[in-house]
Amino acid sequence: MKEIKILLVDDHKLIRDGIKSIINTTNNIKVVDECSNGREAIDYLGKNANEIDLILMDITMPEMSGIDATEIIVKLYPKINILALTMHSEEAYIMKMIKAGALGYILKDSGREKLIDAIKTVYRKEKYYSNEVSIKLINVLLNEDKIVEPVLSDREIQVLKSITNGNTNREIAKELYISDRTVESHRRNIIKKLNLKNTAELVKYALSNGLV
Amino acid sequence: MKEIKILLVDDHKLIRDGIKSIINTTNNIKVVDECSNGREAIDYLGKNANEIDLILMDITMPEMSGIDATEIIVKLYPKINILALTMHSEEAYIMKMIKAGALGYILKDSGREKLIDAIKTVYRKEKYYSNEVSIKLINVLLNEDKIVEPVLSDREIQVLKSITNGNTNREIAKELYISDRTVESHRRNIIKKLNLKNTAELVKYALSNGLV
DNA sequence: TTTTTGCTACGTATTTATACCGATATTGAA
DNA sequence: TTCAATATCGGTATAAATACGTAGCAAAAA
């Protein structure tokens, strides 16, 4: 049986060391290299793409997130399979990562066996979602309302970012060269789309669900 | 040389497995057991305190945080040394953990060697702070303004929590059985203490600095 | 004991945000 | 090509937040 060659992408060295230590004591699987963010991973693949079968990809990282990196990598190197390995169990992250092209999604509170299982599955180009993840996904599907997932437009994201930075409608208006009434409309639409109540909740939601 | 017996407290199994895998390949150090949150750790120590020399403690965990658990454990079992092992490099977390009684503080982006070094140091009842942590702490000390660290009162924390949950002054007033004018005062004082601008910024600050 | 801090609360005024409404122009998808 | 979504802006009105000042009372600290 051929050895599965893995690239490990996570911003915490101790986590990388730990995962590596788990994987490298398993037959036929080997971590051949590691990167600490998405940008590094892409640079690495530019030279060593042939050395890698599968990428274990964290999501929240400095420089470039795992979502952005995954999107790019699946286009450039379709042979390489990506397994998301993260502590985020929020639907928004899961959906984004899957849409970006990750074949599997496993949480950091899984055990060693599940990790190995997930790696082997994704290596065969089959999908793998850990239990909690599957349940979340099914919930999304069962919820007719949420099937039209509340995706914010580019403009709305811009406004939302500015809001989380503490700017008022008027300030955002200046920043984006539009009327403060328009900003107001955007703010209202965002709150409505996400089914929220006010700006405080909005900021909380945005920060804890990775919208910004 | 006597073996260092460690209790590992972290909510992510894969992280525990990884750390365990790192530590258990080192001589004279052994992870004898693990818990997935602060509450579990305290329950465990209730029966097995004598088996443990040192605790590797994560901060953000469900049920009970590492900060609360540390505070309790150092009182109940002063012989057990606690080394904080977390990905949070924010001053607020560091200060809280040290004040709670942790002897050391090391980040998850440290390497294997630093972890082992930290464990051995804390086992000798000496303090250990990783580089980034030391720098943060020194910055706090050098900053005369920040030496009077903006600590919120219990009441202010209550109000802040409610604000981040999207409640208005009036709703918070009902919740806490006080006047909405009082809530208003609290809100104003909090924003002033933290040198912020408005509620949006306040929510962001609270969430990203672990104030709630 | 004096001082400070925290919690409480009100007055007045201004600024922002929210809730409705409606409108137009553009664009991409069905 | 019709339709839905997006982005733009306005009117009117209320609700909420922010600014600034004041002040009593209890508890803790100096």
Side-chain angles (χ1 to χ4, degrees), chain A residues 12-15 17-18 21-22 85 87 108-110 112 163-166 171 197-198 200 204 207, chain B residues 11-15 17-18 21-22 85 87 108-110 112 163-166 171 197-198 200 204 207:
Chain A
H12 295 111
K13 182 157 178 11
L14 214 41
I15 308 288
D17 283 356
S21 176
I22 290 176
L85 173 58
M87 54 183 221
K108 281 185 179 167
D109 50 10
S110 310
R112 176 205 151 95
I163 290 174
T164 60
N165 284 332
E171 290 166 336
K197 192 176 165 191
N198 53 29
K204 182 185 181 183
L207 292 180
Chain B
D11 54 334
H12 295 112
K13 182 157 178 12
L14 214 41
I15 308 288
D17 283 355
S21 176
I22 291 176
L85 173 58
M87 54 184 221
K108 279 183 180 169
D109 49 11
S110 310
R112 177 205 150 94
I163 289 174
T164 61
N165 284 332
E171 290 166 335
K197 191 175 165 191
N198 54 29
K204 182 184 180 183
L207 292 180

Side-chain angles (χ1 to χ4, degrees), chain B residues 6-29:
Chain B
I6 291 183
L7 176 64
L8 186 52
V9 187
D10 192 304
D11 54 334
H12 295 112
K13 182 157 178 12
L14 214 41
I15 308 288
R16 292 200 304 270
D17 283 355
I19 302 285
K20 211 164 44 178
S21 176
I22 291 176
I23 293 178
N24 288 347
T25 56
T26 307
N27 285 334
N28 302 321
I29 309 182

Side-chain angles (χ1 to χ4, degrees), chain B residues 46-58:
Chain B
K47 296 181 177 176
N48 309 87
N50 292 327
E51 307 295 321
I52 302 298
D53 297 315
L54 187 150
I55 299 178
L56 271 182
M57 180 79 81
D58 190 18

Side-chain angles (χ1 to χ4, degrees), chain B residues 96-196:
Chain B
K96 280 185 185 173
M97 204 57 187
I98 291 177
K99 283 189 178 172
L103 253 186
Y105 198 109
I106 183 173
L107 299 178
K108 279 183 180 169
D109 49 11
S110 310
R112 177 205 150 94
E113 301 74 23
K114 282 189 184 173
L115 174 63
I116 303 299
D117 192 19
I119 290 174
K120 288 181 177 171
T121 306
V122 169
Y123 177 68
R124 295 193 302 266
K125 283 219 173 298
E126 294 170 28
K127 293 180 178 176
Y128 186 101
Y129 308 119
S130 68
N131 262 11
E132 299 93 325
V133 172
S134 301
I135 289 169
K136 293 263 180 185
L137 287 178
I138 290 167
N139 277 340
V140 172
L141 290 176
L142 289 181
N143 231 327
E144 286 291 340
D145 301 332
K146 284 186 180 171
I147 214 170
V148 190
E149 40 159 341
V151 183
L152 303 183
S153 69
D154 292 351
R155 200 54 157 173
E156 286 167 340
I157 294 282
Q158 276 186 306
V159 172
L160 182 50
K161 273 188 187 172
S162 200
I163 289 174
T164 61
N165 284 332
N167 294 321
T168 64
N169 287 337
R170 205 167 293 173
E171 290 166 335
I172 300 171
K174 264 192 181 174
E175 191 183 319
L176 301 180
Y177 301 102
I178 54 180
S179 161
D180 53 334
R181 309 307 304 278
T182 305
V183 179
E184 194 185 308
S185 294
H186 285 311
R187 190 191 212 109
R188 206 186 342 161
N189 290 333
I190 298 170
I191 290 179
K192 198 177 177 185
K193 270 189 183 178
L194 301 177
N195 197 26
L196 300 173

